[in-house]
């Protein structure tokens, strides 16, 4: 309600695990409750990322996360229930608490090196919004030749679409044209 009062045009729930751990039906209920409470369109990270992955034609994903094995299992279950295959996980060298300190050049170098180990993946998904992806995406795509979808990027893309803004954003990856 506060976001709507402040003039927000879209409400976005930006937590990966919070949006997917209970499955797509629970996530849909979350989105509906946000929209009802705010009176605005609402989106959530996981569903938005799935739409973005479909938009770039992805089918088999390499997934880069700072999560533990159990949490990566929730991610894999969600992705597979959405019709994607998991090629493998690229677990960041630091955990969720420290991952926000990784610089875009470090993120790009890590992702590029790890993607070489997963030639069967046709896209890279980086769901965690704590990872500073926006300045790394173009480099990863240029070197690997595969699309990259990040949580932050997908939320921006979907919110802009809802608001009727389709302008390309340079450096934000193939998702933005």
């Amino acid at each position: 309600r506060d976001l709507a009062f402040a003039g927000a045009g879209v409400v976005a729930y930006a937590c990966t695990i919070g949006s997917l751990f209970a499955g797509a039906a629970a996530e849909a209920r979350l989105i509906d409750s946000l929209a009802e409470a705010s009176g605005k369109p609402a989106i959530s990270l996981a569903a938005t990322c799935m739409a973005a992955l479909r938009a770039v034609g992805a089918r088999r994903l390499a997934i880069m996360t700072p999560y533990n094995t159990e949490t990566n299992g929730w991610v894999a279950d969600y992705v597979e229930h959405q019709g994607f295959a998991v090629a493998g996980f690229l677990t960041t060298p630091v955990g969720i608490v420290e991952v926000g300190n990784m610089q875009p050049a470090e993120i790009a170098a890590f992702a590029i090196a790890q993607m070489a180990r997963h030639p069967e993946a046709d896209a890279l998904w980086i769901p965690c919004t704590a990872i500073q992806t926006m300045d790394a995406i173009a480099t990863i795509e240029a070197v690997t030749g595969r699309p990259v979808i990040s949580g932050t990027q997908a939320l921006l893309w979907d919110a802009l679409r809802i608001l009727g803004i389709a302008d390309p954003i340079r450096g934000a990856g193939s998702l933005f044209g």
Side-chain angles (χ1 to χ4, degrees), residues 2 6 8 41 44 49 69 74 80 95 97 103 117 119 128 153 160 170:
D2 290 344
S44 69
C49 285
T69 303
W74 296 338
E80 289 167 354
V97 173
Q103 297 303 302
R117 297 177 46 213
C128 182
Q153 169 210 43
L160 291 173
R170 252 190 266 224

Side-chain angles (χ1 to χ4, degrees), residues 73-87:
W74 296 338
V75 172
D77 288 347
Y78 181 89
V79 165
E80 289 167 354
H81 282 105
Q82 294 295 319
F84 295 94
V86 176

Side-chain angles (χ1 to χ4, degrees), residues 42-129:
I43 57 177
S44 69
L45 192 132
T48 291
C49 285
M50 297 302 101
L53 287 161
R54 287 184 188 96
V56 298
R59 295 176 316 281
R60 190 166 182 79
L61 311 176
I63 305 170
M64 183 174 144
T65 78
Y67 310 138
N68 62 34
T69 303
E70 179 182 13
T71 305
N72 280 341
W74 296 338
V75 172
D77 288 347
Y78 181 89
V79 165
E80 289 167 354
H81 282 105
Q82 294 295 319
F84 295 94
V86 176
F89 280 88
L90 322 178
T91 303
T92 57
V94 296
I96 189 71
V97 173
E98 301 90 11
V99 78
N101 295 325
M102 286 182 72
Q103 297 303 302
E106 293 175 276
I107 294 161
F110 176 79
I112 291 164
Q114 294 298 307
M115 286 295 285
R117 297 177 46 213
H118 296 283
E120 72 282 11
D122 58 20
L124 172 62
W125 181 34
I126 309 173
C128 182
T129 57

